[in-house]
Amino acid sequence: MIFTPITKLINIRKQSQLPFVETLLCGLLGGFLFNLLNLPLSWMLGPLTAILIWKLLTKRDLYWPVSFRNGGQMLLGYSMGLSFTIASASQIVDQLPSMAIITILMVVFGLAIAFFVSKLTGINIPSAVMGTTPGGLSQMVVLSEEIKGADSTVVTFMQTIRMLTVIFIVPTLSIHAFSSGGTQPSKPTIDLVTQTEYGSFFQVITVLAIVLFITACAVRFKCPTPWIIGPLLSSAILTVSGFETPQLPPIFIVLAQLCLGVYLGLGININMLKNWKKLLPFSFISGLLIVGFALVLAYGLHMIYPITMTTAFLCIAPGGLPEMGVTAHTVQADVSMVAAYQLFRVFFILFIVPIFLRYLFGRQDVLEESVKAL
C-alpha cells in the first residue's frame, strides 16, 4: 500500500517518455529545416510550425514538461535583462508617457476592431473584445474566464490566430524590411549570440542564486509571466549596478527558443471551435489590422525619438514579451527598450484593462436586467 503512489508516479513518467521524445524530435526537425532555409527565428518558429503540423496530421498526444517551458523563459528573460544599462534606464523613464499613450491607443484600436468583428460574426461583444485585445494568449484566456459573457473558447481561438499572425509577420518585417540596408541599432547593445565571456564559477553561482531568488519571489507574489520577469529584473539590476554578469553561451539561446516554440505549438488547437472556419478570416484580418496600426505608431515613435524603425516596431508590435525579445536579439535592436515597452503593455493590460472591462460589461448586464424587468 505504501508503494502504490510511487508505482503510479513511475508508470506515469514511463508513459510520458515516448510522447516527450516524439515532441523533442519534431521540434528539432522543425528548427533544423527553418535554419536550413534561413527563415526568421528558425529555432522558435520552426518547432512551432512542426509541432502544429504534426498534431494536425497525426492527431497524436504530445508532451512537453512545464519545467522546460519555464526554463526557456528564464533563459530568455536573463538574456534580455543583460541589455539594460544606466543610459537605457534613463531613456526608458523619459519615454514613460509615450508608453502609456501608445498602449492606450493600441487597446482602443482593438476595441474598435472588436465591435466590427462582433457585428459581422455574431459573437458577443465581451468575447470579441477579449479576442482582439493585444495581450498575451494565456493572459487573455484567463482574464476571459473572469469577464461576464465572454466565451473562453472563442477568445482562445481568436487570440491564437492573432498570435500566429503577429509572430510570423513581425519578425519577417523586422528582418527583411527594416533591418536590411545596413540598419544599425540606435545605440550599442550586448551581442548575446557572439559573446564569449561566461564569467567565473563564483560569478555564475552568485548570479544563479540571485536569479532563482527573485524569480521565486515573482512566482510567489503571482507576477504576470514570472518566469521571464524574474530573471529579466535580476540581470537588469545586476548589470545597471555594475556587477559583472556572465553571458549565456549561444547554445542556451537556441535551447530557449526551442522550448518556447514547442510550448507555443502545443498550446494551439485549431479544432477547438465548431464554427472556426467562419471566424478564421475575421481573426486573421483583425490581426493584420493591429499589426498595421502598430506600424503607423512605430513610425511616429521613430520620428520623435532617436531609435530605429526596427526597435520602434518591436516596441509596439502586439506580440508577447518572449517573442519580441527574441526578434530584437536577432535583428540587433535595442533589446532593453523593446522589453520596457512590452512589459509596460503587459502590466497595463493585466491591471488596468480588467478594471475597465469589468465595469463596462458589468454595467451592460445591469442594463439588460433592468430592460427585462420593464
Side-chain angles (χ1 to χ4, degrees), residues 69-108:
R69 178 201 66 184
N70 296 340
Q73 290 185 345
M74 289 184 69
L75 291 173
L76 289 176
Y78 176 81
S79 64
M80 292 170 65
L82 293 175
S83 63
F84 280 80
T85 62
I86 296 178
S88 65
S90 175
Q91 190 178 10
I92 289 169
V93 172
D94 293 338
Q95 295 191 29
L96 280 176
S98 298
M99 293 181 189
I101 293 172
I102 287 173
T103 301
I104 292 173
L105 289 175
M106 288 290 291
V107 172
V108 171

Side-chain angles (χ1 to χ4, degrees), residues 13 76 86 105 116-117 154 172 263 283 329 333:
R13 289 185 175 181
L76 289 176
I86 296 178
L105 289 175
F116 287 105
V117 170
V154 173
T172 302
Y263 165 69
S283 301
H329 280 316

Side-chain angles (χ1 to χ4, degrees), residues 355-368:
I355 297 175
F356 170 75
L357 293 179
R358 290 190 187 101
Y359 170 78
L360 178 64
F361 297 125
R363 186 179 179 182
Q364 283 189 349
D365 291 340
V366 172
L367 290 176
E368 290 177 0

